[in-house]
Amino acid sequence: MLDARACRVGTLGVALLMLAGCAAPGPSEKPPVGDYFARDLPGLPGDPRMSPVDNPILEARGLRHPPPRLIRRALLAQHERWVGTPYRLGGESTRGIDCSALVQNIFSDTFRFDLPRTTGEQVRQGLEIERDDLRPGDLVFFRPPGAYRHVGIYVGEGRFLHASTSRGVMISELDNRYWQRYYWQARRTLEPVLLARRLDALGEG
């Protein structure tokens, strides 16, 4: 009787040791390097924590070219393509283009993102943002004298790309006295990281 009880106790002890051994890290396991969820996903509300693998921009660019820089480079490339194109109300080609058509064309060609054709429709897209919060890819709107509104694309460093009625497609400064006087509002159609993700899918930058 005593021998049987001792045998059962011994068997139970061996089983507990085996379970403890399964739960403990083995000698071949290595602790994770760094904090897997310590990378920020910029541009989204609250800056949620995400793994580098979950963020295609960080994975593809190795943190060397964050989304605003990628977007800026793509917009400057579009400037080189369109610069000097004359302004023409209702125009949609390199023979002549108006401000909203330029914005629509660039967003479609660069980001595969469809915007409405007119300034009046574009000003209702996305979310209104403060001027101090402008990021490359945001739309900037103006109300100069006359019946028509004006739109351009912010490229960073206080400048925006647009089709000027007097000089055609060009880059201007927001702090220019004229543009500063007639500045209306800015809108963000997509967060920079989402624009960059579309850009990255096309192999830009």
Side-chain angles (χ1 to χ4, degrees), residues 18-35:
M18 290 178 65
L19 287 174
C22 290
S28 61
E29 293 178 343
K30 295 181 181 179
V33 178
D35 187 351

Side-chain angles (χ1 to χ4, degrees), residues 5 9 11 19 34 48 65 76 80 108 110 132 163 171 179 198:
R5 183 177 300 172
V9 169
T11 302
L19 287 174
H65 302 290
L76 291 178
E80 291 182 9
S108 176
T110 306
D132 290 343
I171 289 177
W179 297 115
R198 289 169 171 266

Side-chain angles (χ1 to χ4, degrees), residues 119-140:
T119 306
E121 293 171 320
Q122 291 175 4
V123 78
R124 294 195 293 267
Q125 301 301 302
L127 298 174
E128 184 173 359
I129 58 173
E130 297 296 326
R131 178 170 167 169
D132 290 343
D133 293 330
L134 280 168
R135 299 289 182 271
D138 293 337
L139 303 184
V140 286

